[in-house]
């Protein structure tokens, strides 16, 4: 499960920023002796800080959407119209920004600024690639939705109620033009993204419903303002409904003509997108091979636990000879222990403070007790993408705003589907999920990130680092005694960790190797022991996204490698809490960049 497209979807937030900024090049810093980035490099670190801040502020000023997600609201009343003129302007801005950055030789900057230089350069390069090569603005209609930013403005108390209502009233004035531009952009979309756009756009109507009208009625807005606001709500709803109707027409046209674009992006685009989004020293193919090796290693470790526990749970049943069969049977047995469908949400609420207590009692890292995590049902406009849980965190400009743990309700599930879902998130796995999404996973990491002194690292977040930390947190908590070292917990953790590994395998295999739905179901259900509902949701998700599913395993592997290397480098001086706090202090930088910073600033003596 995910925190996500922020909800916490980094890709969605950054896409709202500079054209379609969703990633960066591999995190390889310039090496000594490399050719300078410009013929007349500027050595002044103070000058670089000024240029970096200026670029970010100009980028935020250009994108009210990115500003809002970052917790900055001074231009929130303006809605960006995603038309061809805007794309041309974004392209010119990115090229000009790269020219400004090229005036600096990264080798003459301190390590923290070298990383900022790399992040900024790669960010603007990636924005050009996304616009000119990937071009999802032309085939993914789910990119277009006005509800997210409006919901944030309505639900974030950054100003008084009347001021926020007036901002929203101004912001939605051009919603009809927004959807007209979206319609003009789309050419040969995929079936899958048309369907997603329909679901999420219908959900967007819930933001502009009678509840908003009641808030307007109860506000301090005068009669003329209220009338204007309600008229604009009518126009907004009409524009969304017209957009949905057009999408439904596209859906029928594609079904009749059969000329929909394939959701598979192919090897060339996949490798390029992996490099921009993940920022790893691995290529996509190398990461895929490592994931396959890790899958086999996990099966071996889980089998040892299965052999140990078999007599306890099946005292009168012979153990199957096939390794996957016996592991699967034991997991099936243990999965019977789960909460009821009406208890799922409440159980998550109950567990979050217990996790905070464990982290504090075992002194694992710093927490901010003044900033509790708010568990809520996933808003309707965020549903439908295949992720049942996610975190919506405030940006660095509004670090004291609430962080939400979004939990999708099970109302739409049949009894059979709900039982399958709850077996997947059984007694043990649900605890691991809450570590991942909550404490000390996404929620804790993002609180630290918003305190980073580098605005670049906070705003240009690396998804692999963010996801990798949440996965690392799961294993670290169990290593430190959460779950009392019960073999059942470790077996179920193995099943959960197989999800991370199979995510990486699935994504590459589907988009590059042409893996079929039947092959995907076999990988997810037989080899990764997932319930049918979870496997079906993952198959849906892999058709709607590309590369993001690899971020979990890549970041996790790199963080584990770094921790073990620091243990060797520091010897007895290594302290786990210190490692965690230092690692998180660098914001959302790529793991390889954080490793360089840690070694430079805290060398082994």
């Amino acid at each position: 499960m995910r925190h996500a497209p922020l909800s916490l979807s980094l890709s969605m937030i950054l896409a709202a920023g500079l054209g379609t900024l969703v990633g960066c090049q591999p995190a390889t810093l310039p090496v000594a002796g490399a050719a300078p980035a410009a013929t007349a490099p500027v050595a002044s670190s103070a000058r670089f800080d000024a240029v970096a801040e200026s670029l970010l502020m100009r980028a935020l000023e250009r994108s009210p959407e990115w500003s809002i997600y970052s917790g900055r609201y001074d231009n929130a009343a303006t809605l960006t119209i995603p038309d061809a003129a805007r794309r041309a302007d974004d392209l010119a801005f990115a090229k000009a920004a790269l020219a400004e950055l090229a005036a600096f030789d990264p080798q003459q900057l301190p390590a923290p600024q070298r990383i900022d230089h790399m992040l900024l350069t790669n960010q603007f390069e990636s924005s050009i690639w996304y616009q000119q090569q990937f071009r999802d603005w032309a085939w993914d209609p789910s990119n277009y939705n006005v509800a997210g930013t409006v919901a944030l403005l309505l639900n974030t108390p950054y100003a008084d109620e009347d001021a926020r209502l007036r901002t929203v009233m101004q912001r939605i004035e051009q919603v009809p033009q927004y959807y007209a531009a979206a319609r003009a952009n789309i050419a040969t979309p995929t079936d899958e993204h048309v369907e997603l756009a329909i679901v999420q756009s219908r959900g967007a109507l819930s933001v502009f419903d009678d509840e908003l009208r009641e808030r307007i009625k109860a506000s301090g807005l005068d009669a003329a303002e209220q009338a204007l606001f309600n008229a604009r709500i009518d126009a907004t709803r009409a524009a969304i409904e017209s957009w949905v109707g057009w999408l439904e027409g596209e859906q029928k046209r594609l079904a009749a003509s059969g000329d929909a674009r394939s959701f598979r992006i192919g090897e060339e685009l996949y490798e390029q997108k992996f490099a921009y989004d993940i920022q790893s020293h691995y290529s996509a193919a190398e990461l895929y091979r490592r994931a396959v090796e890790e899958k086999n290693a996990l099966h071996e470790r889980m089998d040892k636990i299965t052999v140990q526990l078999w007599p306890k749970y099946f005292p009168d049943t012979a153990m199957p000879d096939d390794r996957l069969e016996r592991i699967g049977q034991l997991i099936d047995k243990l999965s019977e222990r789960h909460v009821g469908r009406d208890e799922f949400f409440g159980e998550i609420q109950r567990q979050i403070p217990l996790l905070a207590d464990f982290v504090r009692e075992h002194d694992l890292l710093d927490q901010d007790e003044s900033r509790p995590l708010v568990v809520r049902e996933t808003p309707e406009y965020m549903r439908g993408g295949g992720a049942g849980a996610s975190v919506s965190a405030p940006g660095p400009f509004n670090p004291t705003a609430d962080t939400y743990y979004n939990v999708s309700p099970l109302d739409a599930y049949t009894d059979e589907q709900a039982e399958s879902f709850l077996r997947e998130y059984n007694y043990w796995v649900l605890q691991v999920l809450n570590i991942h999404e909550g404490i000390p996973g996404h929620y804790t990491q993002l609180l630290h990130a918003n305190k980073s002194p580098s605005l670049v690292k906070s705003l240009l977040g690396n998804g692999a680092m963010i996801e990798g930390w949440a996965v690392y947190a799961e294993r670290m908590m169990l290593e430190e005694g959460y779950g009392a070292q019960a073999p059942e917990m470790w077996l179920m953790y193995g099943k959960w960790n197989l999800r991370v590994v199979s995510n990486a395998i699935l994504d590459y295999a589907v988009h590059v190797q042409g893996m079929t739905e039947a092959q995907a179901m076999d990988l997810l259900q037989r080899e990764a022991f997932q319930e049918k509902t979870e496997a079906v949701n993952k198959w849906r998700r892999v058709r709607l996204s590309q590369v993001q599913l690899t971020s979990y395993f890549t970041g996790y592997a790199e963080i584990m490698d770094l921790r073990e290397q620091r243990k060797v480098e520091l010897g007895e001086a290594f302290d786990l809490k210190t490692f965690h706090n230092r690692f998180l202090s660098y914001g959302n930088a790529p793991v390889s960049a954080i490793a360089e910073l840690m070694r430079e600033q805290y060398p082994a003596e």
Side-chain angles (χ1 to χ4, degrees), residues 300-360:
E300 290 183 12
R301 294 195 291 270
M302 294 171 72
D303 190 43
K304 289 180 180 178
I305 299 174
T306 297
V307 172
Q308 173 192 349
L309 289 176
W310 191 269
K312 176 180 178 181
Y313 289 94
F314 299 103
D316 302 318
T317 304
M319 189 168 60
D321 293 330
D322 181 79
R323 180 173 70 178
L324 295 182
E325 184 179 351
R326 58 180 176 250
I327 295 172
Q329 285 189 26
L330 183 56
I331 287 175
D332 283 345
K333 180 67 175 178
L334 294 178
S335 297
E336 294 173 0
R337 185 178 178 186
H338 61 72
V339 299
R341 67 186 297 167
D342 296 332
E343 302 168 323
F344 183 70
F345 184 87
E347 180 62 16
I348 290 177
Q349 285 183 311
R350 187 188 72 83
Q351 287 185 18
I352 294 300
L354 300 180
L355 291 170
D357 291 344
F358 183 90
V359 170
R360 182 177 57 256

Side-chain angles (χ1 to χ4, degrees), residues 28-31 48 105-121 457 593 596-597 600:
T28 302
L29 297 181
V31 297
F48 174 77
D105 177 3
Q107 287 305 304
Q108 296 187 28
L109 297 172
Q113 291 173 317
R114 291 202 306 273
I115 294 171
D116 285 355
H117 186 281
M118 176 201 70
L119 289 171
L120 284 165
T121 300
K457 296 181 185 69
E596 177 171 333
L597 275 176
E600 181 169 316

Side-chain angles (χ1 to χ4, degrees), residues 21 23-27 29 48 98 101 112-126 279 454-462 586-590 593:
L21 298 187
C24 305
Q25 291 281 13
L29 297 181
F48 174 77
L98 288 172
L101 291 168
Q113 291 173 317
R114 291 202 306 273
I115 294 171
D116 285 355
H117 186 281
M118 176 201 70
L119 289 171
L120 284 165
T121 300
N122 290 337
Q123 193 70 16
F124 290 114
E125 288 178 348
S126 72
Q279 301 175 261
S454 169
L455 194 59
V456 173
K457 296 181 185 69
S458 295
L459 287 172
L460 305 184
N462 175 256
Y586 295 111
N588 302 323

